[in-house]
Amino acid sequence: MSGGPPATAASAHVPVKHRRLTCRRQHKRGANRMKAWGMMLARVAVVIGLYFAWFFTVTTLFFDYLYPRSTWFEQNKVTVIILNDMVGLPLMLLAWRFIFKENLFKAAKFRVMSGKSVAIALWIGLGAGLFTVAFSRLPAIATDKYQFRELFDYLNRAEWYVFLVFLILGNIYKETLFRGILMNEFRRVLPVWIAIVIQGVLYGALFFFGDIPLSLYGFLGAVIFALLYVWFKSIWAPIAAQVACQGSQYLLWHYGPETTDVTMMSTWMAVAAVMIAVGIFLAVKHRSSISAPLSSEAVTPV
C-alpha cells in the first residue's frame, strides 16, 4: 500500500494551470516591454525629428536672409543658435503637451536644488572650462588638423550680451533635450549606465556631425553632465555645470593669458583635472543626502 494520499483529477491539473498562468504572465511582461520600447522609440524619433527639422530651417533662413544684411552677424554667429533655441524649446514643450500629454518641465525634473548641490555643479563646470581652454591651446591641438580653436572662436567671439543669452537659453534647451528627454527615455528600457553612454554618443554626433575629436570631447562632457543629473535628480545640476563651463571658457578666451607654452597649459590641465575629480568625489558623497526627490516632486516654477 502507498502511504501517500491518492492522486485526484484536480491535483493532476494543478501543474497545467500553473504553467498556463506562468505563460500568461510572461506574455504580459513581454507585451509591456515591447510597449515601453515602442513608446521610447516614438519619443526619441519625435525629439530628433523636431530638432533637425527646425535646425536646418533656421540655419537656412539665417544664412540666406539675415547674415548678408549686416556685418554684426559675422561677429555674432551664435545668433543662429539663439534663434534655434528660442523656437526649439517651445516646440518640444508643445510636442510633449499635445502628443504625449505630459508636462515637459516635470518630466525633465526641473527640481529645486540645495546650495551645496549648486556649488558642486558649478565647481565641476569651472574645472571643465579651464581644462578645455588649456587643452585647445596646446600647439599640437591648435592646428588646422583639429577644430577646437575654430569651435571656441565661433562661440566666444560674440559680444558679451549676445553670449549671455546664448549661455543661459542654450544650456536650458540643450540639457532639457539631451538629459531631460533623451536620456530619460533610454532609462525607461535600459540600465542607467547604458542610457548615459547612448546619450553621450548622440550628443557628440548631433552637435559635431561626425568630427571624431570634437565628438569625443562632446561625449566626455555629456557623460559628466549626465552623472550630475542622475546624482542630483535635477536638470538644474547639468545646466549650472554647463553655464560655469562655457562662461569660464568665454572669460579665459577674452581675458586669459595668450600663451601656448606646453608646460603652462599642461599644468593648468592638471589643476583642472584635480578640480573635476574633487568635484565628482564630493558629488558622489553628497548624492546620498538627496536620494529621495526633494519635497516630493518639487518643481521649480518656470
Side-chain angles (χ1 to χ4, degrees):
M1 292 179 62
S2 174
T8 65
S11 62
H13 285 294
V14 170
V16 176
K17 289 181 178 179
H18 179 71
R19 286 196 297 271
R20 288 176 178 172
L21 181 59
T22 300
C23 288
R24 283 198 294 268
R25 287 175 176 171
Q26 289 176 344
H27 177 75
K28 185 176 181 180
R29 283 197 294 267
N32 288 338
R33 282 196 294 269
M34 290 295 293
K35 182 179 179 181
W37 271 92
M39 181 60 71
M40 181 273 287
L41 292 173
R43 292 178 181 226
V44 170
V46 168
V47 169
I48 294 179
L50 281 176
Y51 175 83
F52 275 113
W54 172 242
F55 176 78
F56 287 125
T57 300
V58 73
T59 51
T60 300
L61 292 174
F62 177 80
F63 286 107
D64 286 353
Y65 297 102
L66 284 179
Y67 188 75
R69 291 180 175 273
S70 173
T71 56
W72 182 87
F73 289 115
E74 184 176 350
Q75 180 180 356
N76 297 282
K77 283 186 179 179
V78 293
T79 305
V80 67
I81 302 178
I82 295 173
L83 294 173
N84 177 71
D85 299 342
M86 286 175 62
V87 177
L89 183 57
L91 278 177
M92 296 297 173
L93 288 169
L94 291 173
W96 244 243
R97 172 64 67 187
F98 293 106
I99 300 176
F100 303 115
K101 311 299 181 184
E102 292 181 8
N103 183 328
L104 181 55
F105 287 129
K106 188 172 183 179
K109 300 180 183 177
F110 275 81
R111 294 184 181 132
V112 178
M113 289 203 307
S114 67
K116 186 174 183 180
S117 297
V118 174
I120 293 173
L122 290 173
W123 176 263
I124 292 175
L126 288 172
L130 176 60
F131 185 93
T132 51
V133 169
F135 178 77
S136 70
R137 290 184 176 177
L138 290 173
I141 302 301
T143 63
D144 294 337
K145 183 178 179 181
Y146 303 103
Q147 304 298 314
F148 285 94
R149 286 191 65 85
E150 182 179 339
L151 170 66
F152 292 136
D153 181 64
Y154 173 84
L155 298 176
N156 296 323
R157 75 172 68 168
E159 296 184 62
W160 70 267
Y161 57 90
V162 177
F163 183 83
L164 184 62
V165 176
F166 158 77
L167 183 67
I168 297 173
L169 178 61
N171 283 308
I172 290 176
Y173 178 50
K174 182 167 54 179
E175 290 306 314
T176 301
L177 181 67
F178 283 93
R179 261 59 75 181
I181 299 178
L182 290 177
M183 193 179 78
N184 276 339
E185 291 304 320
F186 298 139
R187 290 174 70 183
R188 289 174 179 265
V189 296
L190 296 167
V192 64
W193 69 270
I194 296 180
I196 289 174
V197 170
I198 293 175
Q199 64 84 36
V201 172
L202 280 176
Y203 184 84
L206 293 180
F207 273 100
F208 302 116
F209 300 106
D211 186 297
I212 294 177
L214 285 177
S215 295
L216 180 60
Y217 157 74
F219 170 81
L220 294 174
V223 168
I224 292 175
F225 300 137
L227 288 172
L228 288 175
Y229 179 58
V230 171
W231 291 339
F232 292 166
K233 303 183 185 339
S234 172
I235 198 67
W236 289 117
I239 289 173
Q242 284 269 34
V243 167
C245 177
Q246 291 188 313
S248 61
Q249 289 172 355
Y250 184 85
L251 292 174
L252 288 170
W253 196 261
H254 285 276
Y255 306 110
E258 288 292 335
T259 180
T260 57
D261 180 73
V262 174
T263 301
M264 180 177 290
M265 293 300 100
S266 299
T267 301
W268 281 116
M269 287 170 61
V271 170
V274 171
M275 288 178 64
I276 296 170
V278 170
I280 290 175
F281 172 79
L282 293 175
V284 172
K285 187 177 180 181
H286 177 58
R287 66 173 176 166
S288 60
S289 65
I290 50 176
S291 57
L294 296 176
S295 62
S296 63
E297 297 291 334
V299 179
T300 305
V302 178

